[in-house]
Amino acid sequence: MSKSEPALQGFLRSDGRKGIRNVVVVAYLVECAHHVSRRITSHFNDLDIHLIGFPGCYPNEYASQMMQAVCTHPNVGAVLLVSLGCESMDRDALREHVAASGRPVELLVIQERGGTRATIDQGTALVDGMRQQLAQQQPVPMALSELIVGTICGGSDGTSGITANPAVGRCFDRLVEQQVACVFEETGELIGCENIMAERAVNAELGELIQQCVAKAEHYYRTMGFGSFAPGNADGGLTTLEEKSMGAYSKSGSSPITGLIKPGDIPPTGGLYLLDVVPDGEPRFGFPNIADNAEIVELIACGCHLTLFTTGRGSVVGSAISPVIKICANPETYQRLADDMDINAGRILTGEASLDELGDEIHRAVLAVAGGERSVSEALGHQEFILTYKSFEPIGPGCLPLRPAF
Amino acid sequence: MSDASGRPHVLLLHPSDNVLICVQSLAVGQHIDIEGEPYVVAQNVAVGHKIARYDMPSGEKIRRYGAPVGSLSQPVKAGEWVHMHNLQSDYLATHTRQSVARQRSLKGE
C-alpha cells in the first residue's frame, strides 16, 4: 500500500475479503417465511440489520448460488435463515456454506418452531445475540485496492448521459488507476454500444465475447417483447434504446475493459469489469431483471462493497447489504428530490461545476461511505432486495484474461 | 445558443451530432440561435430533450455523443423537437404506457 493511498477500515472475513459494514442479515428462503423474517428485522429498527430473501418455492441453481454469495458478502457479519419448511431451497447447504465462512449462522424452520409468533420470538433473540457478537469485532486496516465498486443507472433521462453518467466514468477512471475493481452492467442497456465497447477490451478475444454477450441480450429482450426502456425514460427526453445505452455506457469511463463476469463472479484483480446479467440459453423465467434492485443484488453478489447509482428522473432506492450512493443527473429533479440524493450532478448543466469536479466529488463520496459514513439512502433505511429465477452457464476462460495465477 | 447570463439553452455534445440537447426548458415564442441562425421556438421542449440541428429527411440517422441513436421516421426542420413521433430505434422499438395500452386494445384484451 503506497503512502498516498487513503487507508480504510474493514471487517476481515475468513476468505481474506474485508467488509465496510458489519450487518446481520435475516434471510427468508421462500415468500411464506417473509412476514416472520420482516417482523424479526423490524423489531430492531437498526440500520445494520437487513432483510433479504428469495420468494420462490421451486428450485433454482442461480438463486441458491446468489443466496450463498450475498450471505457471505464481506459486508455481512452474521446470518439468520428463516425457512417455512417445505420449500425447495437447500437450507442445510446454505447454512453449511455460511458456517464454513466462519460467520455466526442460525436456521429457523417455522413448521418445526411452533409457527409465526414462536419463530419471531426465537429469531429476535438470535439476532440480538448476533448483534452483540458483531459489536465486539474490531476492524482492521483495509487498502483502497481491496474495494469493489459497482455502478448502475435507474430512471434515466436525457441529462443522465451528459452529467451523472460521465461523472461516474471519471470517478471509475480514477478508481481503476488506484487498482480498485469497478463493475458496470446491464448488457440489455448497452445494446448499440457493443462495437465501441469491444474495442476497449484488453484483448480481441474478450472483445468478441463482449459483442456476443450484447447480441444475447438483444435476442433475449426481443423475445420478451420490450427493450430495457421505461416510459419515464421517454418522458425525460430519451427516444430510443440505443440512445439510452450510449448515455448509460459513459458510466464505464475510459479504462480498458479487464474482464466479463456473471452474477456471483468476484473480480480477481483491480480493473474495469462488465457484468453480464442476461441469462444464458433460451429465454425463460421472464425479464432478465425486473427492476433496478435486482441488478444491484447481482453487483453485490460479485462482491461490490457499494454502488454508484445515477438517476435523472429520480430513483429513491437503496439496497440491503451494500450502501448505494445516489447521483442525480437532472438539476430540476434535484430540486424536487434533494433529500434523496447524495450528489447533484445537475450542477454541470447549470454551469456550477465541471465533469472533472463532479468526478472528484463522487470519488470523495466513495471514500467517505467506504469509511463508514452513511449514504443518504442508507440513512433513510432503504434496504430493497430482489432475487428472481434465472439460469447462467459459467464464464469461459477468455472472460478473465488478467486473472492472476493463484 | 445562450441566455442573458451566458448559460446555454442547448448543447452540442459532439461535432458530428445532428441534434442539440436542451439544457434549459424552451417555451413557444422564445428566441434562440441554432447554428448561428436566429430561431423562434415553435413548441415547448423540456430539459433533456432533443431538437434538430439541421433540416433532415426521413430515414436520416440521428447522431448523439457522435454515435447513431436511431433513424428519422419523418422529415424534420432545424429547431424541431426530435422524439418518438419522428425518431425510431434501429434495434428494439420503444414502448410507452400509451403504446402498451394500445397493444392491449388491439389484442381485444
Side-chain angles (χ1 to χ4, degrees):
Chain A
M1 194 171 77
S2 73
K3 281 211 173 102
S4 62
E5 192 174 299
L8 303 169
Q9 299 273 300
F11 297 96
L12 180 63
R13 311 302 177 192
S14 65
D15 60 4
R17 292 190 288 165
K18 291 167 191 165
I20 61 167
R21 297 290 184 271
N22 207 12
V23 305
V24 177
V25 299
V26 178
Y28 56 92
L29 306 186
V30 62
E31 180 61 22
C32 318
H34 190 161
H35 173 73
V36 166
S37 307
R38 183 172 49 225
R39 281 295 171 90
I40 294 168
T41 318
S42 60
H43 171 83
F44 293 94
N45 194 23
D46 180 335
L47 290 176
D48 290 317
I49 297 177
H50 294 192
L51 175 65
I52 68 167
F54 177 66
C57 191
Y58 294 90
N60 184 248
E61 186 54 30
Y62 157 82
S64 298
Q65 284 174 2
M66 293 292 287
M67 286 298 283
Q68 293 191 355
V70 296
C71 286
T72 55
H73 183 281
N75 287 354
V76 174
V79 181
L80 172 66
L81 304 172
V82 185
S83 156
L84 173 64
C86 41
E87 73 276 3
S88 300
M89 176 74 72
D90 187 345
R91 54 180 178 261
D92 293 318
L94 179 56
R95 183 181 52 182
E96 280 158 28
H97 182 83
V98 179
S101 78
R103 288 171 175 80
V105 57
E106 297 286 348
L107 167 66
L108 292 177
V109 179
I110 297 171
Q111 290 168 347
E112 295 167 4
R113 294 280 173 165
T116 300
R117 227 177 271 284
T119 313
I120 292 171
D121 290 345
Q122 292 167 46
T124 306
L126 287 169
V127 169
D128 201 28
M130 289 171 175
R131 235 170 136 210
Q132 289 174 27
Q133 213 176 328
L134 293 188
Q136 306 302 316
Q137 191 176 352
Q138 293 303 312
V140 299
M142 175 177 174
L144 189 57
S145 59
E146 293 179 86
L147 200 62
I148 305 180
V149 180
T151 190
I152 176 176
C153 42
S156 296
D157 73 9
T159 67
S160 301
I162 314 174
T163 60
N165 292 349
V168 165
R170 302 286 163 102
C171 172
F172 259 30
D173 286 347
R174 215 169 133 193
L175 289 171
V176 168
E177 269 174 38
Q178 293 171 307
Q179 274 115 48
V180 173
C182 292
V183 187
F184 71 112
E185 51 80 64
E186 186 39 316
T187 42
E189 290 171 3
L190 292 168
I191 291 169
C193 307
E194 56 277 6
N195 297 329
I196 44 174
M197 203 153 51
E199 285 170 17
R200 281 173 61 198
V202 289
N203 68 24
E205 186 188 6
L206 178 63
E208 210 167 293
L209 290 167
I210 288 172
Q211 283 169 321
Q212 286 168 12
C213 113
V214 177
K216 175 182 77 172
E218 191 188 348
H219 171 68
Y220 206 105
Y221 278 98
R222 201 176 284 287
T223 309
M224 293 295 119
F226 296 104
S228 181
F229 192 100
N233 298 145
D235 297 339
L238 294 174
T239 311
T240 65
L241 180 61
E242 57 269 40
E243 180 184 12
K244 180 180 172 180
S245 296
M246 283 303 305
Y249 175 63
S250 62
K251 295 197 302 304
S252 66
S254 56
S255 311
I257 299 173
T258 313
L260 174 62
I261 56 175
K262 290 183 183 176
D265 296 326
I266 314 288
T269 63
L272 179 65
Y273 295 81
L274 171 62
L275 171 59
D276 175 9
V277 300
V278 174
D280 294 310
E282 273 312 294
R284 54 193 153 145
F285 305 135
F287 289 97
N289 279 317
I290 58 171
D292 295 327
N293 279 97
E295 294 166 36
I296 297 177
V297 167
E298 291 182 327
L299 286 167
I300 293 170
C302 293
C304 288
H305 292 86
L306 56 90
T307 303
L308 303 175
F309 189 128
T310 65
T311 183
R313 300 296 290 170
S315 172
V316 301
V317 304
S319 180
I321 298 176
S322 294
V324 168
I325 297 174
K326 206 69 67 53
I327 301 135
C328 187
N330 185 322
E332 294 179 355
T333 303
Y334 186 82
Q335 294 306 317
R336 287 193 294 274
L337 297 174
D339 289 349
D340 279 284
M341 301 299 162
D342 294 272
I343 289 169
N344 176 12
R347 283 160 37 230
I348 293 168
L349 286 196
T350 53
E352 296 162 83
S354 69
L355 262 180
D356 283 332
E357 285 164 349
L358 255 301
D360 288 346
E361 193 177 331
I362 299 166
H363 190 269
R364 284 195 298 275
V366 167
L367 298 183
V369 171
E373 208 172 280
R374 301 278 184 195
S375 74
V376 170
S377 54
E378 186 184 17
L380 285 168
H382 278 285
Q383 294 179 0
E384 288 84 352
F385 186 93
I386 305 173
L387 182 57
T388 58
Y389 286 93
K390 276 190 170 186
S391 172
F392 282 98
E393 300 295 328
I395 55 168
C399 290
L400 289 174
L402 300 186
R403 182 187 278 278
F406 289 112
Chain B
M1 288 201 275
S2 49
D3 65 11
S5 67
R7 217 186 119 195
H9 292 105
V10 291
L11 278 188
L12 176 66
L13 298 181
H14 188 274
S16 77
D17 286 0
N18 48 17
V19 285
L20 303 166
I21 310 303
C22 182
V23 293
Q24 292 190 56
S25 48
L26 300 178
V28 173
Q30 205 176 330
H31 293 259
I32 62 167
D33 281 356
I34 294 178
E35 292 297 291
E37 296 291 317
Y39 177 76
V40 183
V41 174
Q43 58 207 132
N44 296 338
V45 184
V47 170
H49 286 247
K50 301 172 286 299
I51 61 173
R53 187 179 176 193
Y54 319 109
D55 293 353
M56 287 177 278
S58 182
E60 186 86 353
K61 285 250 189 247
I62 293 300
R63 299 182 73 83
R64 175 181 180 167
Y65 310 106
V69 296
S71 302
L72 286 178
S73 58
Q74 311 268 338
V76 296
K77 295 274 184 209
E80 206 178 319
W81 182 37
V82 175
H83 200 31
M84 301 168 68
H85 56 291
N86 52 22
L87 173 62
Q88 59 193 26
S89 172
D90 294 325
Y91 289 81
L92 290 164
T94 303
H95 68 277
T96 62
R97 291 182 197 98
Q98 292 76 19
S99 71
V100 173
R102 245 188 338 265
Q103 234 178 18
R104 211 163 41 225
S105 68
L106 281 176
K107 282 186 194 160
E109 282 172 26

